[in-house]
Amino acid sequence: HKGRLSSVNFILRADSTRTPGIYTAGEGGSGLPLDEVFLPEYLKRAGYVSGAFGKWHMGLTLEYNAVNRGFDEFYRFMGRGAHDYFDFSDSEHPIYRGLEPIEEKGYLTNRITEEALAFIEMHKERPFFAYVAYNAVHAPPQAPEEDVKHETGDETRDVLTAMLLHLDNGVGQIASAIKDAGIWDDTLFIFLTDNGGSGVMHANNAPLRGFKQQDYEGGIRVPFFVSWPKRLEGGTTCDVPVMSIDILPTALA
């Protein structure tokens, strides 16, 4: 967001000196500099309550925890997307509630949904921001066995579609909760993914070429939907190139 052009110019310099920050996905664990202002910190000034649920790839130590970046509530694991969906006993990347690691059980995608639904129910009478970052459909391929339809002859892809089912159901439940609360027309609802499907997970990005971690459109062109019935006309398409860092200044504007 702020200083975007100067940052780009700095990256293009010939010398090896870099300002602190994240330049590749693999560096996400290092944490975004603490002097960067996150969206919930801006919203707090307008009376919003904010919650973060799911994956937190913006620093692995507690100083970078979402609670210290403007979020009032936090149910997440701090690390990359490859967290076990059933086993929450990973001592290096436990599930946190706030600043405290907790013991947990269930299927991770569903637990993220349940926590987000509880947050919406609790705060539906006031302005809120819910950041729901599912790690599905990131590896490892894991889903409840009863949801895996062994139809394609490709075990990994069959599990992938079951994982996607739980993700889709979660997004639907969140949208329904906002509608049931009577605040859908007044809610800016944004759905997007961070990269194209992964070849490791046997995804199919057709008709786009390529996969996650590639610069072909199959790797970087992703679903990006925005709903705000009171302000935006439905069924329209924006042809201007856009990416997730545009959300903060656009939402604030």
Side-chain angles (χ1 to χ4, degrees), residues 10 18 33 38-39 55 61-62 69 82 109 111 113 124 127 134 146 155 158 193 195 210 217 224 234 242 250-251:
F10 196 92
R18 302 192 307 178
F38 280 29
L39 180 56
K55 172 185 173 184
T61 58
L62 287 181
R69 309 309 300 263
T109 302
R111 286 295 301 119
T113 297
K124 62 185 179 183
Y134 292 102
E146 62 269 19
E155 182 65 21
D158 286 338
T193 184
N195 50 249
E217 285 203 326
F224 195 146
V242 63
T250 305

Side-chain angles (χ1 to χ4, degrees), residues 1-2 32-43 45 69 248:
H1 50 293
K2 63 184 179 64
L32 199 65
L34 296 175
D35 60 354
E36 289 288 341
V37 182
F38 280 29
L39 180 56
E41 296 176 90
Y42 287 105
L43 296 177
R45 304 169 189 173
R69 309 309 300 263
L248 185 151

Side-chain angles (χ1 to χ4, degrees), residues 116-137:
L117 292 174
F119 175 84
I120 293 170
E121 176 63 25
M122 180 176 296
H123 300 294
K124 62 185 179 183
E125 302 296 334
R126 60 174 296 187
F128 68 82
F129 168 48
Y131 172 47
V132 187
Y134 292 102
N135 59 315
V137 290

Side-chain angles (χ1 to χ4, degrees), residues 41-231:
E41 296 176 90
Y42 287 105
L43 296 177
K44 191 180 295 290
R45 304 169 189 173
Y48 278 71
V49 59
S50 298
F53 309 94
K55 172 185 173 184
W56 184 256
H57 196 175
M58 303 297 288
L60 302 179
T61 58
L62 287 181
E63 65 179 324
Y64 294 107
N65 186 296
V67 173
N68 294 324
R69 309 309 300 263
F71 287 97
D72 302 289
E73 299 184 24
F74 177 84
Y75 176 88
R76 308 178 71 86
F77 62 92
M78 298 171 64
R80 295 174 175 83
H83 195 289
D84 196 285
Y85 289 85
F86 292 102
D87 183 3
F88 302 127
S89 61
D90 185 345
S91 60
E92 291 188 10
H93 302 294
I95 304 295
Y96 282 85
R97 188 181 301 283
L99 296 173
E100 299 296 328
I102 63 173
E103 294 185 3
E104 188 61 297
K105 60 182 179 180
Y107 183 58
L108 183 55
T109 302
N110 295 344
R111 286 295 301 119
I112 292 170
T113 297
E114 291 161 0
E115 291 288 328
L117 292 174
F119 175 84
I120 293 170
E121 176 63 25
M122 180 176 296
H123 300 294
K124 62 185 179 183
E125 302 296 334
R126 60 174 296 187
F128 68 82
F129 168 48
Y131 172 47
V132 187
Y134 292 102
N135 59 315
V137 290
H138 196 292
Q142 296 176 331
E145 177 58 34
E146 62 269 19
D147 297 316
V148 179
K149 309 300 182 184
H150 301 277
E151 298 174 340
T152 69
D154 183 334
E155 182 65 21
T156 298
R157 183 159 180 81
D158 286 338
V159 174
L160 173 68
T161 57
M163 297 169 70
L164 185 60
L165 173 67
H166 283 266
L167 188 153
D168 285 349
N169 286 343
V171 174
Q173 291 177 54
I174 291 171
S176 294
I178 297 172
K179 293 176 182 178
D180 292 343
I183 55 176
W184 178 254
D185 287 352
D186 291 310
T187 298
L188 176 60
F189 189 97
I190 301 172
F191 172 87
L192 75 159
T193 184
D194 60 348
N195 50 249
S198 169
V200 172
M201 292 292 287
H202 297 195
N204 182 349
N205 298 316
L208 305 180
R209 175 175 56 162
F211 297 94
K212 173 184 177 180
Q213 296 182 329
Q214 296 180 348
D215 291 333
Y216 296 123
E217 285 203 326
I220 62 174
R221 182 177 175 183
V222 300
F224 195 146
F225 301 97
V226 179
S227 170
W228 190 4
K230 188 164 283 188
R231 294 291 300 274

